[in-house]
Amino acid sequence: MRKILRGLVVVFLLFFVSPSFVRADETSETTGGSTETPQQVLEIAPRAISGGSGKANDPYLVSTITDLKSALGQSIPSGETALYIKLTGDILYSYSDRTISINKNTVLDGDGHYILYSGTNYDGDHFITGANNLAITFKNIKYGNVTYPNSNWYGILHVVNTNTNFVVENIDYNIQKGGQPFYANTNVNTLTFKGKNNFKAGTSNGGYDGEFAQGFTSINFAEDSQTTIYHDAYNELAFLYAGGSQTVTVGKNAIVDITTNKPYLSYDGNFTLKVLEKGQFKYKAISGNNSSTTSKAVLFKALGTITMEFAKDAIGRFTTEKDGFSGESPTINATSPNYILFDSPSGKSALNGATLKFSRKDTDGYAYPIKYFSSGFKELSPNVTGNKNVVASYISNGESVVYARAPKITGMSADPMVGTDLSQIRVQINQWTPENLVNISKVSYKLGTKRLYSGTDITAAAAQTSITNAFPSQGLWAQKDIWATNNIATDSIYQFENLSAQTYYLYTKLEGACVPGYTLSSLWIEQIVEVPSYIEVTLPDVLEFRTPKAGEIVKEQHLTNYSAINHGNVPVNLALKTLTIKSNSSPVVSLVSNCQGKKQVHLKLVAEHPSGNDNRILDPLLAGTITGQPIALTPYWDNDREATLYLKGEHSVSVLDGGPHQINYNLAFSISQAS
């Protein structure tokens, strides 16, 4: 308010005291009492404009301040909605050139040239509006160089009227004294940034700097624009001064990066910040070089309400090198943002009196935890579902706190595969968000033989905790953490092997660094996978033994070692069903249950397991149907997957009986899955 009154006094004095023009032999008197000699003679009849007709496709071409004044005095050409002017050289103006009026819709294209101020008085209007309801664009203009590093308190255009839409596009502004780029009286006016803009104001030897922008009701950063602001200014306490309600809108995909020494983001009035889809608003409060504001605590100060709105994939970051954020407490409406971070890299508490009032507005299915750092990373809430307030004590006076969208697995495969000595589930994350997870990511798998949580909602906090803390007695069969150092899709491949045929419950979680300084986790997701039964048993073709004389038949008389082997994923029973005598078996030798005469054979089938457990002896082997306990074989990954088979018993066949004699029998087995 002080500056507005001061400006009115200047206008009053000029109106009643100043002559209508300055002659070449006069000096101009400044409002501060100092004098300065004009650096060029003003012509009463301006030079002709060097070219153009003022149309969009044929702008007036100007190269001096005189040319520019003359061009600004022209009428809008017929058929156009604005007057178009292009610079063909750098424009240098002095204090005596002040109060250059723009009173019609105007587009001023600097074409990469400078507009430079040569004076040493920073407290007067230079360019100023002269009518209401104007649309004015300044673009492709540079301000400030080594020779002429200063400007004036009232900005590159002093907006004194109502309903002005001032658009700046591709502006490069590097000003020391007089480093307030934008000033408007507290009327209904709009400031819009387009293209790529860079502002550096104050920085050293400051003075007459003020806010970055004052008095604009609406400040818009247009879609896809990029605006970088370094504002180390001497005077005033706020980065933005509203003088009433003010709305700042960061458009879709727009990036705004602000660094300032001001203690307040905004001052005087209701303040609204809207960050649209994929927009980024970054605000950093520093001590800076200008000491008038360095000792102040960083505040949200609006003398009214502060509302922030972050849309889908938007980013908000509020960083302070001074004391933590305090003052008015912002209401933060979050509709699927990427993250909203408050941090203090200096190690101080991020919050110092302000309450962050988070209000989740979406139902997008993602988890939005609130995490913070205080002697380590901790979690205040695993998933905000409504409103959540955060104050310094809630986060142990932590150095940072973030509301962020956790990663989410959006594509997952879990394929069972069975075969010879194979029974597995091959798992892989195929899709995830955000796609640009940085640094090392971790994939966690848990495989259960039953559901690892109760209830029907896996996203509930209790269900997630139950899965995280599950142990074998609760059905956890196996778990595995994998570090994805290159590509999540390829690095996340894993096989759970040697699986029994049954239903499994697979749980998967993804962790990654998607917020500066933080690693966030997705919710556990569940997939039900059925591993089918697979039965495959190999049996020897023959069991051959040779005994040279009558008597006992022993294992050592077999011509080789014979085994029955289970290659499947289920336990099986191997049952001997029948024995038949083959036609090439000697008819003079009888198969009996007990040798009591000549030319007789008593056989037993023995099955021995490696463990020595559950061995079987089928005795006797006689022609026809055979009953007895089956031979049990465990799945392929177990030691007792196989059994060594051999025949033993006795016989009463001798060489005196006309031998040798060959016996040949056929054994039929049945194979079934064990219960």
Side-chain angles (χ1 to χ4, degrees), residues 119 158 176 227 292 300 305 312 329-330 350 436 460 491-492 500 549 570:
H158 185 185
Q176 293 184 15
T227 304
S292 66
F300 288 119
T305 61
K312 186 176 185 296
S329 297
N436 61 336
D491 292 347
S492 66
S500 298
K549 60 182 180 178
V570 293

Side-chain angles (χ1 to χ4, degrees), residues 317-321 325 341-345 350 399-401 516:
R317 184 171 185 179
F318 301 86
T319 302
T320 173
E321 292 180 352
F325 291 98
L341 172 65
F342 294 82
D343 63 341
S344 174
E399 299 166 26
S400 68
V401 59

Side-chain angles (χ1 to χ4, degrees), residues 209-278:
D209 294 330
E211 299 88 353
F212 175 76
Q214 174 174 341
F216 289 93
T217 306
S218 300
I219 299 177
N220 302 320
F221 297 89
E223 181 174 338
D224 296 318
S225 64
Q226 297 181 35
T227 304
T228 301
I229 303 167
Y230 189 93
H231 186 246
D232 184 9
Y234 186 83
N235 303 96
E236 311 303 340
L237 298 176
F239 179 76
L240 301 174
Y241 178 82
S245 296
Q246 184 179 63
T247 299
V248 174
T249 302
V250 179
K252 184 177 180 180
N253 297 312
I255 299 175
V256 180
D257 195 338
I258 298 167
T259 302
T260 182
N261 69 332
K262 298 302 184 186
Y264 305 148
L265 168 60
S266 177
Y267 192 90
D268 194 10
N270 298 327
F271 176 75
T272 300
L273 170 66
K274 297 181 179 180
V275 184
L276 305 187
E277 184 176 348
K278 294 185 178 180

Side-chain angles (χ1 to χ4, degrees), residues 200-206 209 230-234 259-263 284-296 298 319-323:
K200 193 172 184 179
T203 69
S204 64
N205 300 318
D209 294 330
Y230 189 93
H231 186 246
D232 184 9
Y234 186 83
T259 302
T260 182
N261 69 332
K262 298 302 184 186
K284 183 177 182 180
I286 62 171
S287 296
N289 295 315
N290 290 302
S291 60
S292 66
T293 59
T294 55
S295 61
K296 301 289 185 180
V298 177
T319 302
T320 173
E321 292 180 352
K322 307 188 212 180
D323 293 337

Side-chain angles (χ1 to χ4, degrees), residues 82-161:
L83 178 69
Y84 291 85
I85 302 171
K86 179 184 283 189
L87 304 186
T88 60
D90 296 342
I91 299 294
L92 180 67
Y93 70 97
S94 66
Y95 184 71
S96 61
D97 293 310
R98 64 190 180 278
T99 319
I100 302 170
S101 177
I102 299 179
N103 56 17
K104 61 185 71 67
N105 293 346
T106 302
V107 177
L108 177 59
D109 184 354
D111 198 29
H113 295 293
Y114 285 87
I115 294 181
L116 301 168
Y117 175 54
S118 65
T120 58
N121 185 294
Y122 314 110
D123 197 13
D125 291 317
H126 292 180
F127 291 82
I128 188 170
T129 60
N132 296 328
N133 306 311
L134 295 183
I136 300 172
T137 297
F138 282 14
K139 64 180 182 179
N140 307 318
I141 303 173
K142 298 179 181 180
Y143 293 88
N145 63 11
V146 175
T147 306
Y148 303 104
N150 302 319
S151 185
N152 77 101
W153 195 321
Y154 292 95
I156 61 180
L157 174 66
H158 185 185
V159 178
V160 297
N161 297 93

